[in-house]
Structures are given as C-alpha cells and as structure tokens.
C-alpha cells in the first residue's frame, strides 16, 4: 500500500477481516501508484515529484529502497510481463519507458511527450503486449495509443478525444476494451480491438468524480474510485451494456 506520507507498506491479508502491516519502507517522495513484480520481489513506485522508486521485498529483510530514477511528477506505473520494463505516466513529462532489468539502477529507455504527439498531462497507462501497444490517458486530451514494439522508440499511433479528464485506465484483453476513469464524465468504455481506430462504446455516469479504476481477475467487473460515493462496482460482462451494480 502506498501512502501520502512517503512510505510504502506491505500488508498481510491472509485474514481479510484483520489485515496486518508486516513491513514498511520510506521512499523518495509521495507514492501515487505501484506495480509489483510477478515473483513479489520488487515494487515499482510512481512518486509525485520523485519519479520511479524500486523497493526490494525479499524476505526476511524489511522492505528496502534500492533504486530511483528522478522524473517530473509520476502518477502511475505499469510493469511489462517480462519484468524488465516499466511504463511510467509522468504528467507533463510524458510517457517514460524505463529499463529495470537491474532494479538497483533503473535506466531511462525513452520519453514520449507533446513534441512527438503525446499531448496533455499523462495520468495512466495500460499495456496490450500481444498487439505491441500502450494505452495512455492524458487528462483533457483523452486516450493516446502508442506503438511500443520497440520500447526504445515508441510512437503515437492515434488519439481519441473524450469528455472529462481521463485520470486512469484498465484494459481487458478478453474483450479488447479499455475502461477509463474520466472525472465528472464517469467511466468511458472504449473498444480498442483495432488500436489504430479506438471507438467509444458507452459512458457510465457515476454521480461523482471517477479518478481511479481497476478490473477484476475475471474481467467482468470494474471497480471505480468515485469521490463521495467511495468505490463503485460496474458490471462489464457485456461491455456495451456496462451498468453500475447497486
């Protein structure tokens, strides 16, 4: 769990009714998002005003900060399935692609920003590795689709303007659909079956600001952080008929 006091915590949830913090690490700045390696050895943290930090979870030692790459103002991070590459949403710094094959020495591979067609403050990123693309949310600029076949040379494929402020994204590989939390506009449901021509399928109104989104393991439910409404669940088993679960 990342908090806003400059710490990341490891929580044992074996007893869900009684979670227990089992370790904490102080990091460079204020963590805003995280990704965990497949073997649960490393956490990759996006940090406001701090960039990317890498925390070693190797037990029995306590969690330890082992690496950092300074960037502009990171808000979200996604780890490629190889475990060697991190995609960092870095606000007006653009999309940063980072080599983490040596976790203690993360190295910038590429930056894609406004000069290359990736306009707006970058807020979130999701990957479709089978198609070789990243889906990137960009505040009031909507959704960018980026070619990442060569991570060192990413290029913008296209951009889909959207209502609201695109704040976060989750991707369903089963349905080829992106779910975008878009502030007061609600939840956008976007078909990305053809990455070169993404299409808005539906927008689900949520009654308050939608600013973070997560997809269930079976990809049938989206969970949205929704302001005063707390967490809202949306049934997306049929994306065209996406609806809030009351």
């Amino acid at each position: 769990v990342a908090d806003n006091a400059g710490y990341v915590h490891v929580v044992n949830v074996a007893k869900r009714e009684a979670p227990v913090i089992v370790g904490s690490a102080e990091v460079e700045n204020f963590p805003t998002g995280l990704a965990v390696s497949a073997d649960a050895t490393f956490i990759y943290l996006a940090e406001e005003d701090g960039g990317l930090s890498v925390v070693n979870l190797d037990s029995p030692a306590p969690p330890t900060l082992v690496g950092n790459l300074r960037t502009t103002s990171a808000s979200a991070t996604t780890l490629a399935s190889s475990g060697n590459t991190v995609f960092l949403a870095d606000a007006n710094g653009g999309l940063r692609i980072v080599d983490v094959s040596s976790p203690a020495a993360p190295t910038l591979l590429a930056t894609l920003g406004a000069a290359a067609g990736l306009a707006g403050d970058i807020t979130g990123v999701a990957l479709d590795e089978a198609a070789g693309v990243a889906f990137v949310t960009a505040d009031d600029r909507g959704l960018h689709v980026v070619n990442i076949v060569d991570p060192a040379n990413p290029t913008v494929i296209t951009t889909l303007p959207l209502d609201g402020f695109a704040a976060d994204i989750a991707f369903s590989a089963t349905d080829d659909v992106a779910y975008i939390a878009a502030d007061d506009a609600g939840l956008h449901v976007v078909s990305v079956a053809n990455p070169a021509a993404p299409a808005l399928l539906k927008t689900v109104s949520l009654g308050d600001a939608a600013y973070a989104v997560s997809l269930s393991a079976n990809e049938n439910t989206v969970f949205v952080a929704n302001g005063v409404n707390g967490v809202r669940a949306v049934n997306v088993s049929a994306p065209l008929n996406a609806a809030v679960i009351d």
Side-chain angles (χ1 to χ4, degrees), residues 78-245:
T78 299
L79 182 66
S81 60
S82 67
N84 292 328
T85 309
V86 162
F87 294 80
L88 191 69
D90 198 35
N92 60 8
L95 174 67
R96 311 278 191 181
I97 303 178
V98 183
D99 181 350
V100 292
S101 55
S102 176
T107 304
L108 186 65
L109 287 176
T111 297
L112 192 65
L118 200 77
D121 280 0
I122 306 307
T123 57
V125 57
L127 305 180
D128 182 355
E129 294 184 71
V133 298
F135 304 111
V136 180
T137 48
D139 204 13
D140 62 346
R141 300 303 182 98
L143 174 68
H144 298 297
V145 183
V146 177
N147 183 323
I148 56 166
V149 172
D150 178 2
N153 293 286
T155 56
V156 176
I157 298 171
T158 191
T159 298
L160 177 67
L162 294 166
D163 290 340
F165 295 88
D168 193 20
I169 185 168
F171 169 66
S172 166
T174 301
D175 296 316
D176 284 325
V177 168
Y179 299 98
I180 298 169
D183 200 66
D184 289 341
L187 178 72
H188 293 311
V189 181
V190 177
S191 171
V192 290
N194 178 0
L200 179 64
L201 298 177
K202 183 172 184 176
T203 298
V204 180
S205 178
L206 297 171
D208 199 8
Y211 53 87
V213 62
S214 182
L215 188 62
S216 65
N218 65 8
E219 301 192 350
N220 286 332
T221 307
V222 168
F223 300 97
V224 185
N226 188 217
V228 298
N229 294 321
V231 177
R232 304 292 297 275
V234 180
N235 183 336
V236 294
S237 54
L240 271 172
N241 298 315
V244 174
I245 301 171

Side-chain angles (χ1 to χ4, degrees), residues 2 20 24 30 40 54 86 159 183:
V20 177
S24 301
F30 302 113
V54 184
V86 162
T159 298
D183 200 66

